[in-house]
Amino acid sequence: MRFLGTFLVVLSLLIYQSNGNVLKKSKENPQKRFVVPESEPPTLPPTLPLTTQSLDDDGFINSLTSTEAGNQFPTLTTFLPSTSSATTTAADITDAPVSLEQSEVVVDSLDLNSTETTDDHDDEEHKNTDGTSSSSKSPLPTVIPKVDPNTPVKPTVKTLNVEIHGNTTVQLPADTVSLEAVVSDPDKELKYQWTLIEQPQGPEGTTGQMQKINNRITGSKLIAGIYLFDVKVSSRDAVGHAQANVTVLKEVRVNKPPIAHVDPPSQTITLPTNKAVIDGSGSTDDDGISTYLWELKSGPLQSSKSENSVGHDQTLQLNDLIVGNYTYQLTVTDTDGESASIDAHVVVKKKIDHHPVANAGANAVIHLPQDSLILYGNLSADDWGIKSYQWSVAPDSHNTVADLEGATTEILHVSHMKEGEYKFQLVVTDTADQTDTAEVTIIVQQRSNDPPKAVAGEDQDILLPLEGPAKTVLNGNGSTDDAAVVSYLWEQIEKSPQEVTIVTPTSVKTEVTGFTIAGDYKFRLTVTDGSDAKSSDEVTVTLKRESEPVAVAGDDVTLILPTDMAILDGSNSKDDYGITKYEWTRDPLSPAVGRVLNNTDHSARLLVVGLFEGTYTFHLKVTNQRGRTAEDSVLVTVKTDSLSSYQVELHLATSSRSLTQEKMDEIKEKLSILLSDLNGQVIIRSVFPDHHAADLVVLFYLKLDDGTAVKASRVISELQPKLKADDNLLGVDVRRLDTYQCENPCSGHGRCHSDSQACECEVFWMENFFRVYAGDGQRNCDWSVLYAAIFAFIIVALLISFLYFLLCFVCRFDSSLYH
């Protein structure tokens, strides 16, 4: 590029010196030519200085000098990079960018790599486009290739001669190789690039380790196989390649002889088993076994068709062996031709057949009417199996009359035997027709008889009804016998305390009547079987007089308000037949307050709530199964609470569903804080709904450290102002605050109602409603009805008088206006 830049500058100077003579492309010249337009020379930056040049004999620029600043041609520095040398080589020129505008220049020839020039071109004629010829003399060759300013010119690259030296064959266990790249014309600025192109694959992808240092590469931990290395050597203007194969040979193996192994080394079989297997797969070798050879070293003569004499598999199958001792030899040969041998022994014995052993079972004794029996011969045994069974009556049997079923099977069923002794014979035959005999004795005896067992039943307790005699039933159906019970007999023992009537004394079950005197009655049951054997059992019947039912209403109950619920328990009432009905009633003279919960007035336990101060009497009536009744009463006393004058009612504007235990604990804690000046502990007695409003009432009192309580009025005077200032101070709206026990004197003319806290005034006295609603809010009986009537009359009279005089005044005023 640098050379091309210099060449373009020289060409521009020649065009300038020719005073605008334009060279046109010659049709006769086969070379590629370019034409510079006649209109104007190439436009270059005007600010660059003009340069002059001189060429050496080889046609290269020797020096550059500047001309006037106004010249339109650039200096060489416009195209060339800065350099410390005044001489520019061809390589420098090829690297310089070209910045000429598009121009066409006709040049005959140019050799950028040659230092020789030809002067013959000075006289060469060039034909113009109009057919005329012209000649020109120039200090430079006249052929220049057309240059595209946007296309870089590739530099000329030399080829380096590269060789790889080093050991290219490695024998394991040596696993290291070192290669060196050698260049025939070394340069100080050479660069080396090593590449491993091919390599063997080891287990888990391992191939070895490579270390590159300049022109050397070292490989370590190599595995067997071929490695292909490539090296690229490059300099500023040259490049070269070389490849080398490195062969890593397997480690030379030292062969070990194989080891022959047979399993089992010795075995014994007994005919009729005539097959055997000998396994040689357990033989081993360091590189592998190539062949197996089985040979019969010694043994009985085999038939010509026998395959037991030789084999080539890992396992030897032996068939159709005969009695005798066999010795087989296994020879194994490895891949290197070394072999090893081992012997295996097989002993074939004759078949041993013992005589069978017959077993007809154990002797037995049976009693008539049982006349049949099953005999089992399946315990008979033989080493090779029993072929047949044969049952029969033994020749020396006393009795011979019987039916035999299954006489040729293991099991014999004998029936229809008579009294006496029988002998049965079993003959068993094995597969070798050897026999054995066994006998079994069966004794048939006359029928035996065990005495019956009488069961008269459990002892009984019965009641003597008040209205007449008692009765009961005796049952002996629990009696047993080995055959059957044929008769029953019931009888009374000792006839005391009185004689009773056994309705059916010879039945298994009988009714006994006529019990009128309390006491113990004993009866005996006697049973008899078909052999007239007897058995007896006794049973005792205890008669008790019937008692009237007893009602027990429980102990008297004392309640202290505010506890207003009484639990009365009548479950201790009793009767001989059992209580079937409970009925609770209130005494007519008892207070009527309180209510029964869940209809418990018809159960054994009565629940009554809402009781007030007073004494209550409740009656319990019980009825037994026979309709007999009994009554009892219980007294319930309800007393006033000793703390009633200390208890405070806190009426909250909330419902029972909204007030949780957590909220109640929070209210209690806030009350304790509000009453902290009194140094007491807030005790919640109960929480109940207000029946006069949809509110909840919290009943509490303030207990001091010494155990005494603070008066309710003092608690209210301490708490009332704080709650009036903020009725939501407790987290719930407070309706009102009252004492539990009404302490209002009602002005001395009435009494305070404990429930509503209102005053019930005496006759001729009434409440001062101005005081209630506009004053201190205290319920009272301040006004006398008489005084109030007189005061009202006076007020009405005054009002009427005022209206009369006002009317008269208006009438007079109107009449004066008309006159």
Side-chain angles (χ1 to χ4, degrees):
M1 293 300 291
R2 292 176 183 175
F3 178 78
L4 180 60
T6 304
F7 169 76
L8 293 176
V9 172
V10 173
L11 179 61
S12 300
L13 293 176
L14 291 176
I15 296 172
Y16 178 77
Q17 291 175 0
S18 63
N19 296 321
N21 292 329
V22 178
L23 298 176
K24 296 183 179 180
K25 184 176 180 182
S26 176
K27 295 182 179 179
E28 292 80 11
N29 193 347
Q31 297 182 356
K32 191 175 183 181
R33 297 172 182 265
F34 297 86
V35 178
V36 179
E38 297 179 356
S39 60
E40 57 181 357
T43 303
L44 297 175
T47 57
L48 299 177
L50 180 64
T51 59
T52 60
Q53 58 215 358
S54 62
L55 303 177
D56 58 6
D57 296 334
D58 295 331
F60 290 97
I61 298 173
N62 287 330
S63 62
L64 298 174
T65 58
S66 298
T67 61
E68 294 180 2
N71 196 296
Q72 295 181 354
F73 288 92
T75 63
L76 187 58
T77 57
T78 305
F79 306 98
L80 302 179
S82 59
T83 178
S84 59
S85 175
T87 302
T88 304
T89 63
D92 296 332
I93 295 175
T94 58
D95 292 337
V98 178
S99 60
L100 288 177
E101 300 294 336
Q102 291 184 352
S103 302
E104 292 186 358
V105 181
V106 178
V107 180
D108 289 338
S109 64
L110 176 64
D111 187 0
L112 295 179
N113 295 324
S114 176
T115 59
E116 297 182 357
T117 59
T118 304
D119 294 335
D120 296 338
H121 292 284
D122 294 342
D123 298 331
E124 183 180 356
E125 293 183 355
H126 298 277
K127 291 183 180 181
N128 299 327
T129 57
D130 56 359
T132 61
S133 61
S134 62
S135 64
S136 62
K137 294 182 179 180
S138 176
L140 292 175
T142 59
V143 179
I144 301 175
K146 184 177 179 180
V147 178
D148 186 353
N150 297 320
T151 303
V153 178
K154 296 183 180 179
T156 301
V157 180
K158 297 189 297 183
T159 299
L160 296 176
N161 184 17
V162 182
E163 295 181 356
I164 298 178
H165 294 176
N167 186 11
T168 58
T169 301
V170 179
Q171 176 76 58
L172 292 176
D175 59 355
T176 303
V177 68
S178 180
L179 301 178
E180 179 183 4
V182 179
V183 182
S184 59
D185 48 349
D187 193 327
K188 294 182 179 179
E189 297 183 358
L190 294 178
K191 296 181 180 179
Y192 298 86
Q193 181 179 352
W194 289 92
T195 305
L196 182 59
I197 298 176
E198 295 181 4
Q199 55 187 331
Q201 292 294 328
E204 300 181 358
T206 59
T207 59
Q209 298 178 354
M210 304 297 166
Q211 183 178 10
K212 307 172 185 178
I213 302 176
N214 294 331
N215 66 330
R216 289 181 177 273
I217 184 170
T218 301
S220 59
K221 297 184 179 178
L222 304 180
I223 63 174
I226 298 176
Y227 294 79
L228 176 58
F229 292 89
D230 177 87
V231 63
K232 177 182 178 182
V233 183
S234 60
S235 66
R236 187 167 54 90
D237 58 352
V239 65
H241 286 269
Q243 291 185 351
N245 283 329
V246 175
T247 303
V248 181
L249 302 177
K250 292 184 179 180
E251 185 176 358
V252 177
R253 182 178 61 85
V254 179
N255 185 53
K256 295 181 180 179
I259 299 175
H261 178 79
V262 293
D263 184 29
S266 177
Q267 55 184 309
T268 300
I269 61 175
T270 302
L271 294 177
T273 302
N274 60 356
K275 296 182 180 181
V277 177
I278 307 176
D279 185 10
S281 61
S283 303
T284 59
D285 185 69
D286 57 345
D287 191 50
I289 296 175
S290 61
T291 61
Y292 294 82
L293 177 61
W294 296 91
E295 296 177 305
L296 178 62
K297 290 180 64 176
S298 63
L301 291 177
Q302 301 288 303
S303 65
S304 59
K305 297 182 181 181
S306 175
E307 298 178 357
N308 295 335
S309 58
V310 66
H312 297 280
D313 297 327
Q314 291 183 349
T315 302
L316 179 63
Q317 301 282 347
L318 301 177
N319 301 308
D320 300 325
L321 296 176
I322 61 176
V323 176
N325 295 332
Y326 297 80
T327 300
Y328 285 90
Q329 183 183 65
L330 169 63
T331 301
V332 294
T333 305
D334 63 11
T335 56
D336 290 322
E338 292 197 40
S339 61
S341 300
I342 190 172
D343 292 344
H345 303 280
V346 179
V347 177
V348 182
K349 293 184 176 181
K350 270 187 180 182
K351 175 181 178 181
I352 300 175
D353 191 356
H354 298 285
H355 280 76
V357 177
N359 188 331
N363 299 331
V365 176
I366 63 174
H367 297 83
L368 295 173
Q370 178 184 351
D371 63 350
S372 62
L373 189 68
I374 296 177
L375 302 179
Y376 295 91
N378 55 357
L379 295 180
S380 302
D382 184 71
D383 52 354
W384 296 102
I386 295 176
K387 182 172 66 175
S388 65
Y389 297 84
Q390 184 62 54
W391 294 90
S392 61
V393 178
D396 57 345
S397 176
H398 295 152
N399 287 0
T400 58
V401 178
D403 293 338
L404 304 182
E405 182 180 353
T408 58
T409 64
E410 294 179 337
I411 301 173
L412 174 67
H413 185 265
V414 184
S415 60
H416 299 101
M417 291 186 290
K418 304 296 183 181
E419 182 181 1
E421 180 179 316
Y422 287 83
K423 277 188 180 182
F424 296 95
Q425 175 179 282
L426 171 63
V427 178
V428 295
T429 304
D430 65 6
T431 56
D433 291 332
Q434 301 178 101
T435 61
D436 188 38
T437 303
E439 291 184 350
V440 60
T441 300
I442 306 298
I443 298 176
V444 180
Q445 296 181 350
Q446 283 292 337
R447 184 193 306 254
S448 62
N449 182 56
D450 293 329
K453 182 179 181 181
V455 177
E458 300 291 336
D459 294 342
Q460 303 180 31
D461 292 330
I462 61 175
L463 293 175
L464 177 61
L466 298 177
E467 63 273 10
K471 60 182 178 180
T472 189
V473 175
L474 302 178
N475 191 351
N477 60 0
S479 303
T480 59
D481 184 66
D482 56 350
V485 176
V486 296
S487 66
Y488 296 84
L489 179 62
W490 293 95
E491 53 186 341
Q492 183 181 2
I493 303 174
E494 298 179 358
K495 309 293 184 182
S496 63
Q498 71 175 120
E499 185 176 359
V500 294
T501 301
I502 302 176
V503 179
T504 53
T506 59
S507 299
V508 63
K509 181 187 294 186
T510 181
E511 185 179 35
V512 183
T513 60
F515 295 96
T516 58
I517 302 175
D520 293 335
Y521 295 80
K522 293 185 178 181
F523 298 90
R524 179 187 296 118
L525 170 63
T526 302
V527 295
T528 305
D529 64 6
S531 301
D532 204 26
K534 300 180 182 297
S535 176
S536 299
D537 188 28
E538 295 180 358
V539 62
T540 300
V541 177
T542 300
L543 180 65
K544 297 180 180 178
R545 291 188 177 275
E546 181 184 0
S547 301
E548 293 286 346
V550 178
V552 179
D555 298 332
D556 294 341
V557 178
T558 300
L559 302 177
I560 299 177
L561 294 174
T563 302
D564 62 351
M565 184 176 73
I567 301 175
L568 306 180
D569 189 1
S571 59
N572 290 327
S573 303
K574 57 185 179 179
D575 182 72
D576 294 332
Y577 293 98
I579 303 297
T580 59
K581 183 179 179 181
Y582 295 85
E583 184 177 4
W584 294 89
T585 57
R586 190 195 302 253
D587 190 87
L589 299 179
S590 296
V593 296
R595 68 182 188 277
V596 177
L597 293 178
N598 302 327
N599 295 324
T600 53
D601 54 343
H602 294 287
S603 64
R605 184 172 293 179
L606 174 67
L607 302 179
V608 184
V609 297
L611 299 176
F612 285 89
E613 181 181 2
T615 302
Y616 303 80
T617 301
F618 292 91
H619 303 289
L620 171 63
K621 180 180 179 181
V622 297
T623 305
N624 66 2
Q625 291 180 353
R626 296 168 61 80
R628 299 185 182 276
T629 62
E631 294 186 4
D632 190 24
S633 301
V634 61
L635 192 66
V636 178
T637 303
V638 182
K639 296 181 179 180
T640 303
D641 188 3
S642 60
L643 295 174
S644 60
S645 60
Y646 301 95
Q647 296 179 140
V648 178
E649 286 185 355
L650 179 64
H651 293 254
L652 303 177
T654 185
S655 63
S656 58
R657 294 182 179 179
S658 302
L659 187 63
T660 62
Q661 183 60 45
E662 180 181 6
K663 191 67 176 177
M664 188 68 249
D665 294 339
E666 182 181 347
I667 293 174
K668 179 180 178 181
E669 183 178 356
K670 290 181 178 180
L671 288 174
S672 300
I673 295 174
L674 295 175
L675 298 173
S676 58
D677 294 341
L678 300 180
N679 297 325
Q681 179 184 3
V682 175
I683 305 297
I684 305 295
R685 294 296 298 275
S686 64
V687 180
F688 54 89
D690 187 354
H691 299 292
H692 302 285
D695 300 336
L696 280 182
V697 180
V698 179
L699 187 64
F700 71 94
Y701 70 94
L702 191 64
K703 180 180 179 182
L704 299 178
D705 294 338
D706 58 0
T708 60
V710 181
K711 279 288 189 179
S713 58
R714 185 180 177 189
V715 173
I716 292 177
S717 62
E718 179 71 21
L719 194 58
Q720 187 91 34
K722 299 177 181 179
L723 294 179
K724 280 189 175 182
D726 186 1
D727 57 358
N728 199 27
L729 192 61
L730 299 178
V732 181
D733 291 341
V734 177
R735 297 288 191 191
R736 60 189 176 92
L737 197 65
D738 289 325
T739 58
Y740 173 72
Q741 185 178 28
C742 188
E743 298 180 355
N744 190 351
C746 296
S747 306
H749 302 293
R751 69 181 186 87
C752 182
H753 193 279
S754 59
D755 186 20
S756 63
Q757 302 291 325
C759 287
E760 297 177 355
C761 297
E762 297 175 354
V763 182
F764 302 116
W765 290 93
M766 61 180 294
E767 186 176 59
N768 180 3
F769 51 85
F770 290 107
R771 180 181 176 185
V772 174
Y773 298 104
D776 58 3
Q778 181 72 36
R779 297 288 182 175
N780 59 84
C781 294
D782 289 347
W783 288 354
S784 170
V785 175
L786 179 61
Y787 293 156
I790 295 173
F791 179 75
F793 177 76
I794 294 173
I795 293 299
V796 172
L798 291 175
L799 181 60
I800 294 173
S801 300
F802 173 75
L803 294 176
Y804 176 75
F805 285 112
L806 180 62
L807 181 63
C808 292
F809 175 77
V810 173
C811 292
R812 286 183 180 182
F813 182 75
D814 290 340
S815 62
S816 64
L817 290 177
Y818 289 111
H819 293 289

